[in-house]
Amino acid sequence: MNATATTPSLPAIPDTLTRSVEDYLKAIYRLSPEGQPASTSDIAHLLELSAPSVSGMVKRLSELGLLEHVPYKGVQLTDAGRRAALRMVRRHRLIEAYLVQFLGYGWDTVHAEAERLEHAVSDPLVERMAAALGHPVADPHGDPIPDADGAIHEPACTPLAGMSVGDTAEIRRVDERDAERLRYLASLGLVPGVAVTLRDRQPFGGPVTVEASGERHVIGPELAQVVLVRSEGDR
Amino acid sequence: MNATATTPSLPAIPDTLTRSVEDYLKAIYRLSPEGQPASTSDIAHLLELSAPSVSGMVKRLSELGLLEHVPYKGVQLTDAGRRAALRMVRRHRLIEAYLVQFLGYGWDTVHAEAERLEHAVSDPLVERMAAALGHPVADPHGDPIPDADGAIHEPACTPLAGMSVGDTAEIRRVDERDAERLRYLASLGLVPGVAVTLRDRQPFGGPVTVEASGERHVIGPELAQVVLVRSEGDR
DNA sequence: ACCTTGATTTAGGCTAGCCTAATAATTTCA
DNA sequence: TGAAATTATTAGGCTAGCCTAAATCAAGGT
Ligand SMILES: [Mn+2]
Ligand SMILES: [Mn+2]
Ligand SMILES: [Mn+2]
Ligand SMILES: [Mn+2]
């Protein structure tokens, strides 16, 4: 006998999200750090799923209030969605840091392990790991770790590919997803914290030559794109 | 053009099992340590599922070759099933030991955490934890840890409830599943490694009085049933 | 031998997530 | 502006896992 006309029974956000949902939210966050809409096909590509699967999930998640979806335009996280996404980002990066620090993992293998563990750890365990690490601000790849309230500081970084010849900068962040690429970069000594100087750039998308720790290396343009640096000037 | 008459295409055991399947195998192992058949309703009760759900899963798992099922009689693990179950038991107990040793967990809270993590860790991570712990032989509840090949030594234990008045024995093992019960036992000092002497037993399923670390405690019969001891004689 | 009871299985249904094939909307470009 | 190409959605189907209700089997007692 409730006479108030309500909107047609919106489902509430469940207290525990599934592994799939958590990965979707994390992917959408990654695709739109500034909040611009993410496209169905970009999400599908990142998660290695078909576009119709993503369309279906996007519909469900927007009905749950985790996303705003404008058909044919893209999706944006709501506040609740962004909170949930940042919670996963914090878990992922803290787990990576913990495994490297305390269990001898290398930066090339931690990502795959964290991709599964992030869904299985409890909040108290995450916080115990954070405490054991001394509350680090970045993971082994240089990616910043949001605090427990979801606040995150993305340091200003530009691709190494964008440096000018003669410039010196510090490596800050490296894309974590390709283990082989990470091993190669480590073998060259191109890891976060290292100072690099651009010594040469070949035209027409050619390779660049960088100097780091006294050694010179010629690296291809797409590699130079995923290594992010902070230039001397950007303080 | 294959003319050989084959049995109707038995599905092979998948290389990765689902969380549900892993928990079923672990439950069946626990219900039949000696290999006697486990009943549908016991499995359902242990996993808190309906009996029809268990019937359905049992059918699938026996088609996969992980179980032998005699309808209306019960199930037994095959060699492959027991191997998979012991792998999960090893993971569960090593994770518990690791969390207690290195992350400040208590014996009352580790079980719930391990119940989820056991499905998410990789084999290499399990082995790294084992190495960090120095390859322990028992978890925080006194449960023995199978080795990486699945060999397990179940120490001879009897319920504290079975002791005779005047006997002295060492606490070896305590059922891990009820966090509140574990906290209570710890508050009485009744933990693995402690020597206890039975001082009194009331008839008709009444409580028993035990002496441990110089203190006497009166405990109910069902509690005395889940605390396992090794008597002096059982060496 | 039959009947009752409890355990078990079968029947039928639901959700979450994935897929492919077909359709529809949008954008691009001649 | 009007195809063509791209992107997205809808339609329909599948598996894994769970559920309740109904049917069936196994035992034990009379
Ligand atoms: Mn993940
Ligand atoms: Mn990382
Ligand atoms: Mn489990
Ligand atoms: Mn245990």
Side-chain angles (χ1 to χ4, degrees):
Chain A
M1 324 311 189
N2 183 347
T4 56
T6 55
T7 44
S9 77
L10 302 180
I13 297 174
D15 47 345
T16 65
L17 303 175
T18 65
R19 181 184 166 156
S20 274
V21 168
E22 289 175 341
D23 280 337
Y24 271 93
L25 295 174
K26 206 157 52 92
I28 293 163
Y29 174 78
R30 159 185 257 281
L31 289 171
S32 58
E34 323 287 275
Q36 330 86 319
S39 76
T40 297
S41 53
D42 284 353
I43 300 167
H45 185 252
L46 186 56
L47 294 176
E48 300 182 271
L49 297 171
S50 71
S53 297
V54 173
S55 259
M57 180 63 94
V58 156
K59 193 173 178 185
R60 282 201 290 132
L61 296 187
S62 41
E63 282 162 2
L64 280 180
L66 291 163
L67 302 179
E68 305 237 5
H69 179 218
V70 181
Y72 293 97
K73 290 299 177 179
V75 298
Q76 286 176 271
L77 294 169
T78 60
D79 281 355
R82 182 170 12 260
R83 237 186 340 267
L86 281 162
R87 177 165 168 271
M88 296 312 295
V89 169
R90 175 172 171 80
R91 292 169 156 237
H92 184 101
R93 294 178 183 174
L94 279 172
I95 290 165
E96 286 187 344
Y98 186 90
L99 294 177
V100 167
Q101 176 88 53
F102 293 107
L103 284 162
Y105 267 73
W107 82 334
D108 54 324
T109 52
V110 277
H111 175 66
E113 191 80 40
E115 200 54 57
R116 281 172 288 107
L117 285 172
E118 62 189 359
H119 310 287
V121 293
S122 67
D123 285 336
L125 177 51
V126 172
E127 297 316 316
R128 280 180 186 275
M129 290 192 297
L133 287 160
H135 302 282
V137 299
D139 82 359
H141 311 104
D143 295 318
I145 298 175
D147 69 23
D149 300 324
I152 185 170
H153 172 63
E154 298 273 354
C157 292
T158 55
L160 189 153
M163 291 171 67
S164 308
V165 172
D167 279 2
T168 295
E170 184 189 324
I171 297 180
R172 294 302 296 273
R173 224 170 144 169
V174 178
D175 187 290
E176 70 186 347
R177 285 169 297 169
D178 186 331
E180 207 167 334
R181 185 167 66 197
L182 290 171
R183 280 192 292 278
Y184 180 64
L185 286 169
S187 77
L188 302 185
L190 300 178
V191 299
V194 166
V196 288
T197 304
L198 196 72
R199 290 301 178 195
D200 184 58
R201 163 182 283 117
Q202 294 299 318
F204 302 110
V208 297
T209 302
V210 298
E211 183 172 332
S213 317
E215 292 180 12
R216 290 192 180 206
H217 304 289
V218 181
I219 66 180
E222 82 287 352
L223 201 55
Q225 199 65 46
V226 297
V227 175
L228 304 184
V229 302
R230 186 186 59 188
S231 306
E232 300 283 282
D234 297 0
R235 295 298 315 268
Chain B
M1 324 314 187
N2 184 347
T4 56
T6 54
T7 43
S9 75
L10 302 179
I13 297 174
D15 47 344
T16 66
L17 304 175
T18 66
R19 176 179 172 162
S20 273
V21 168
E22 289 175 340
D23 280 337
Y24 271 94
L25 295 175
K26 207 157 52 95
I28 293 163
Y29 174 79
R30 158 184 258 280
L31 289 171
S32 59
E34 322 289 275
Q36 329 89 319
S39 75
T40 297
S41 53
D42 284 352
I43 301 167
H45 185 252
L46 187 56
L47 294 176
E48 300 182 90
L49 297 172
S50 72
S53 297
V54 173
S55 259
M57 181 64 93
V58 157
K59 193 173 178 185
R60 282 200 289 133
L61 296 187
S62 41
E63 283 163 0
L64 280 181
L66 291 163
L67 303 178
E68 305 237 5
H69 179 218
V70 182
Y72 294 98
K73 289 298 177 180
V75 298
Q76 287 176 269
L77 294 169
T78 60
D79 280 355
R82 182 168 15 259
R83 238 189 335 271
L86 281 162
R87 177 166 168 270
M88 296 313 295
V89 168
R90 175 171 170 81
R91 294 169 155 239
H92 184 101
R93 295 179 183 172
L94 279 171
I95 289 165
E96 287 187 344
Y98 186 90
L99 294 177
V100 167
Q101 175 88 51
F102 293 107
L103 285 161
Y105 266 73
W107 81 336
D108 54 323
T109 52
V110 277
H111 175 66
E113 191 80 40
E115 199 55 57
R116 281 172 288 106
L117 284 173
E118 62 189 359
H119 310 288
V121 293
S122 68
D123 285 336
L125 177 51
V126 172
E127 298 315 317
R128 280 180 186 274
M129 291 191 297
L133 287 160
H135 301 280
V137 298
D139 81 359
H141 311 103
D143 296 317
I145 298 175
D147 69 23
D149 300 324
I152 185 170
H153 172 63
E154 298 273 354
C157 293
T158 56
L160 189 153
M163 291 171 67
S164 308
V165 173
D167 278 2
T168 295
E170 184 189 323
I171 296 179
R172 294 301 296 273
R173 224 169 142 170
V174 178
D175 186 291
E176 69 186 348
R177 285 169 297 168
D178 186 329
E180 208 168 333
R181 185 166 67 197
L182 289 171
R183 280 192 291 277
Y184 180 64
L185 285 169
S187 76
L188 303 184
L190 300 177
V191 299
V194 166
V196 288
T197 305
L198 196 72
R199 290 300 179 194
D200 183 58
R201 161 183 285 118
Q202 294 298 317
F204 304 111
V208 297
T209 302
V210 297
E211 184 173 330
S213 316
E215 293 180 10
R216 291 194 178 204
H217 304 290
V218 182
I219 65 179
E222 81 288 351
L223 201 55
Q225 199 64 47
V226 298
V227 176
L228 304 184
V229 302
R230 186 185 60 186
S231 307
E232 299 284 282
D234 297 0
R235 298 297 314 266

